[in-house]
Amino acid sequence: MDNLQFNRHRRLRQNSTIRDMVRETHLQIEDLIYPIFIADGEQIKREVPSMPGVFQLSMDNLRAEMEEVTALGIKSVILFGVPHEHDKDEHGSGAFSHNGLVQQATRAVKKDFPDVVVVADTCLCEYTSHGHCGIVEGGKILNDPTLDLLAKTAVSQVEAGADIIAPSNMMDGFVAAIRKGLDEAGYEDIPIMSYGVKYSSAFYGPFRDAANSTPQFGDRKTYQMDSANRLEALREAESDVLEGADFMIVKPALAYMDIIRDVKNNFNLPVVAYNVSGEYAMVKAAAQNGWIDEQKIVMEMHTGFKRAGADLIITYFAKDIASWLKG
C-alpha cells in the first residue's frame, strides 16, 4: 500500500445524513402530475384491469378523488375523457363539445379546488369511432384538416377553465394551430404542454384499456415516432418550440432517458417525462408477485427521470410517491 495514490469517494457515503447532504437530485411532490380518467355515467369507480389502483371515475366520484389528491399535496392533474362507445363519431366531436367529459371535469375541479392546476389532454382518439388521433379518409389519417379540430378542442377546454393545454396527437403543425386558436380566442396566456416527443410504443397498451382508445384499424406509426430514432426527437422538439410550446413532454420515459437528457440539453424550457401505463403495469405486476420492493423501485425510477433532466413527471404513481414523501 506504500505510495498508493487514489481518491476516497466513500468519505461522502459514510452515513445517511452525509448522503442526504450531498444528494444531487431530489424528487418532490411539486414535480408530480396525476392522470385522472373521467368516465361517462354515474356511480362508476371501475378499476383498469391492467393498471391496479387506477380507476375510471364518473363525475359523481371526482370530488372524493380530488380530496385525496389534494390531501397528499399533489397540485396538478391531467384529465382524460372516457365516453360511451355510442357517443363517439368520425370527427371526435366529444373532444370539443361544451359538455365534453374533460370540460365537465375541469369545471368541477376548478370550482371546488381552484388552486389545483388542471392540464387538459387535447386529443381526439378517445372520442373518435375509429380510435385514431385525427380525421380519417380512405384509411389515411389526414393531417391538416385535423388541426382545426384540435384548435377547437383546446379553446373549448380553456373556456371550461383548463390552466394548461397538452396536445398529444403528433400531427405536424399542431402546436402552431393550437397557439393560433388560443390567441385568437383571447387566451394568449394559456401555456401549451406539447407531447412533442411521443414515440409509437408498446408501453402504451394498458392506457388503451383505461381510455378505451385502441385504434379500430392499423396503428399510429404514421404520426408517432419510431422508437429507434434519436435525432428525429430533436427535430420534432425544435418544431414545437418554434411554434410556441411552453413545455415539452417526452413519452414514454423509462426507455427514453437519453431522449429526456437530449431535450433538456438542447432546449430552454421545462421538460416533462410521462411515466406511461406499461411502465406502471410492469412494476405493479412484479410487486404483486413479491419480486421487487415497489416503493424502492418507484422512487429510484422517478428520481432517475429527474436526473435525466425532467422537471415534471406525469405518473400514475403520483399518489403513492406523495404518500411516501410525506412519510
Side-chain angles (χ1 to χ4, degrees):
M1 295 291 292
D2 291 346
N3 300 318
L4 184 64
Q5 300 293 319
F6 57 90
N7 293 317
R8 295 193 177 274
H9 300 291
R10 292 179 59 192
R11 291 172 182 155
L12 302 184
R13 304 174 192 153
Q14 293 182 64
N15 58 58
S16 61
T17 301
I18 292 177
R19 290 194 296 272
D20 288 345
M21 289 172 64
V22 299
R23 176 163 290 170
E24 299 172 25
T25 306
H26 297 273
L27 180 64
Q28 301 174 314
I29 295 176
E30 290 79 7
D31 302 329
L32 308 174
I33 302 172
Y34 183 58
I36 297 177
F37 296 94
I38 307 300
D40 202 358
E42 296 180 350
Q43 298 182 347
I44 296 171
K45 187 175 182 180
R46 184 167 49 231
E47 189 171 30
V48 179
S50 54
M51 299 178 69
V54 174
F55 295 84
Q56 296 174 341
L57 302 169
S58 53
M59 285 291 299
D60 50 345
N61 280 315
L62 178 58
R63 183 180 177 86
E65 178 77 352
M66 289 303 304
E67 287 174 347
E68 181 182 358
V69 166
T70 54
L72 288 167
I74 297 170
K75 299 181 179 180
S76 53
V77 297
I78 182 167
L79 301 179
F80 299 87
V82 188
H84 289 302
E85 288 297 322
H86 60 72
D87 289 330
K88 299 182 180 184
D89 59 38
E90 291 186 356
H91 291 84
S93 58
F96 47 85
S97 168
H98 174 77
N99 290 316
L101 292 172
V102 168
Q103 287 82 350
Q104 291 182 51
T106 298
R107 285 191 286 268
V109 172
K110 296 305 292 185
K111 176 178 179 291
D112 295 331
F113 306 91
D115 294 332
V116 170
V117 169
V118 172
V119 183
D121 181 76
T122 306
C123 199
L124 306 177
C125 62
E126 296 103 319
Y127 307 90
T128 55
S129 53
H130 45 72
H132 279 287
C133 302
I135 294 174
V136 173
E137 187 175 292
K140 182 178 180 181
I141 295 86
L142 303 183
N143 193 93
D144 295 10
T146 299
L147 299 180
D148 290 337
L149 300 186
L150 295 172
K152 285 180 64 175
T153 300
V155 171
S156 176
Q157 291 169 335
V158 174
E159 287 175 346
D163 299 289
I164 298 172
I165 291 299
S168 58
N169 56 90
M170 286 296 283
M171 296 293 114
D172 291 335
F174 70 114
V175 172
I178 290 172
R179 184 72 272 160
K180 183 174 184 289
L182 291 175
D183 290 353
E184 289 179 349
Y187 298 120
E188 298 93 344
D189 294 332
I190 296 295
I192 296 174
M193 181 182 287
S194 172
Y195 286 71
V197 182
K198 182 177 180 181
Y199 286 88
S200 178
S201 172
F203 284 102
Y204 300 153
F207 176 89
R208 290 166 185 172
D209 292 339
N212 296 349
S213 62
T214 303
Q216 298 303 302
F217 67 91
D219 53 39
R220 294 176 175 147
K221 292 183 178 180
T222 65
Y223 45 104
Q224 294 177 358
M225 292 168 50
D226 186 334
S227 61
N229 291 353
R230 176 179 172 228
L231 297 180
E232 183 183 4
L234 299 179
R235 296 196 298 271
E236 286 278 4
E238 182 179 24
S239 293
D240 287 6
V241 170
L242 293 173
E243 291 172 19
D246 301 282
F247 303 80
M248 189 61 58
I249 297 175
V250 177
K251 180 183 181 183
L254 188 58
Y256 299 85
M257 288 205 203
D258 59 324
I259 306 302
I260 294 172
R261 173 48 58 188
D262 282 341
V263 172
K264 186 65 176 179
N265 286 347
N266 283 276
F267 303 100
N268 187 25
L269 80 177
V271 176
V272 185
Y274 197 141
N275 178 225
V276 299
S277 58
E279 298 165 1
Y280 175 88
M282 289 191 304
V283 173
K284 283 291 184 181
Q288 288 181 348
N289 278 284
W291 297 337
I292 61 170
D293 183 317
E294 181 178 353
Q295 179 175 343
K296 289 180 179 179
I297 289 285
V298 170
M299 295 301 285
E300 181 177 341
M301 183 167 62
H302 286 70
T303 301
F305 299 148
K306 291 291 299 294
R307 190 187 65 247
D311 299 285
L312 300 168
I313 307 169
I314 301 172
T315 177
Y316 304 99
F317 286 112
K319 291 195 294 185
D320 293 330
I321 294 171
S323 179
W324 295 330
L325 289 174
K326 290 169 72 73

